Amino acid sequence: NIFYFLLYFIFYSFSKPSIRGSTLSSRVVDSRDICSKSFMNSSIRTLLNFLVERGYDRDAINPKVLTRPSVKDFHNIIEFLFKQLDPNFCFADRFEDEVVTMFKHLGYPVPISKSNISAVGSPHAWPSIMAAIMWLCELLNYDDACVANPAADDTEDLSDKAFYAYLAESYGLFLQGDDEQHSVLEQEFQD
């Protein structure tokens, strides 16, 4: 479901005209009390449980590590979470740039600062990063619920689902360079 969402988002984001040079600037602020001790403690417990349930296999993860994580700890955690979306995910460029871009493409409503990612364990940066991680965990839990109960996802009709399935398989064939199989797939889709 997340894969289809990303394909849909990429397709439509490049097909719509962008507004450049706009004088309107709106800074979205997180409405949650992310700096409160109760939010942070609850988020640490939630993230710890999430990582354990999903089989996080890095160094020993514990609440102390999640209270003030190092950049390496954060890198490992965020890479693990992104691999929940796409098992083949790996960071190719600058880590900070890719994290910001990934959250932006997933639709996270609050901008993430690259400087906060560089200083992830600091008291001023960690709450906003933890809030983004909590949002990503909720997104992954929602995706699991949709996969477990496909009847609950009634927002797409059958033609959209068929198109997304075709698009995903077609893109895989494109990446493999298999033009003959792509022609067969295209004919099947048209039929």
Side-chain angles (χ1 to χ4, degrees), residues 56 59-78 95 116-122 126 129 133:
Y56 182 74
D59 303 326
I61 191 77
N62 58 52
K64 186 176 181 183
V65 169
L66 294 178
T67 302
R68 295 194 60 160
S70 66
V71 173
K72 180 183 174 190
D73 292 329
F74 174 66
H75 183 281
N76 291 337
I77 290 168
I78 206 71
F95 171 69
N116 281 356
I117 295 171
S118 298
V120 73
S122 66
W126 184 231
I129 299 296
I133 291 173

Side-chain angles (χ1 to χ4, degrees), residues 32-41 123-128 131:
R32 301 171 286 183
D33 187 14
I34 61 174
C35 292
S36 74
K37 193 169 190 152
S38 63
F39 175 81
M40 289 303 294
N41 289 335
H124 73 279
W126 184 231
S128 63

Side-chain angles (χ1 to χ4, degrees), residues 7-150:
L7 283 174
Y8 179 81
F9 178 81
I10 290 169
F11 177 77
Y12 280 101
S13 66
F14 290 116
S15 65
K16 293 182 180 177
S18 63
I19 300 172
R20 296 188 186 253
S22 174
T23 58
L24 298 175
S25 68
S26 59
R27 175 112 171 115
V28 178
V29 179
D30 201 326
S31 61
R32 301 171 286 183
D33 187 14
I34 61 174
C35 292
S36 74
K37 193 169 190 152
S38 63
F39 175 81
M40 289 303 294
N41 289 335
S42 171
S43 298
I44 288 170
R45 282 191 307 275
T46 302
L47 179 58
L48 187 61
N49 290 335
F50 185 88
L51 293 173
V52 169
E53 287 172 6
R54 300 282 179 128
Y56 182 74
D57 59 352
R58 300 287 181 176
D59 303 326
I61 191 77
N62 58 52
K64 186 176 181 183
V65 169
L66 294 178
T67 302
R68 295 194 60 160
S70 66
V71 173
K72 180 183 174 190
D73 292 329
F74 174 66
H75 183 281
N76 291 337
I77 290 168
I78 206 71
E79 183 176 33
F80 177 80
L81 293 174
F82 287 165
K83 284 188 178 202
Q84 300 295 303
L85 294 170
D86 177 9
N88 299 318
F89 178 84
C90 62
F91 289 104
D93 292 330
R94 292 192 59 221
F95 171 69
E96 295 86 1
D97 294 337
E98 289 198 40
V99 170
V100 169
T101 301
M102 189 70 156
F103 273 102
K104 185 176 181 180
H105 284 298
L106 289 172
Y108 185 60
V110 181
I112 297 175
S113 167
K114 292 178 191 175
S115 61
N116 281 356
I117 295 171
S118 298
V120 73
S122 66
H124 73 279
W126 184 231
S128 63
I129 299 296
M130 179 60 95
I133 291 173
M134 288 295 93
W135 179 87
L136 181 57
C137 290
E138 290 173 12
L139 182 69
L140 290 166
N141 284 333
Y142 176 77
D143 184 54
D144 286 349
C146 288
V147 169
N149 187 9

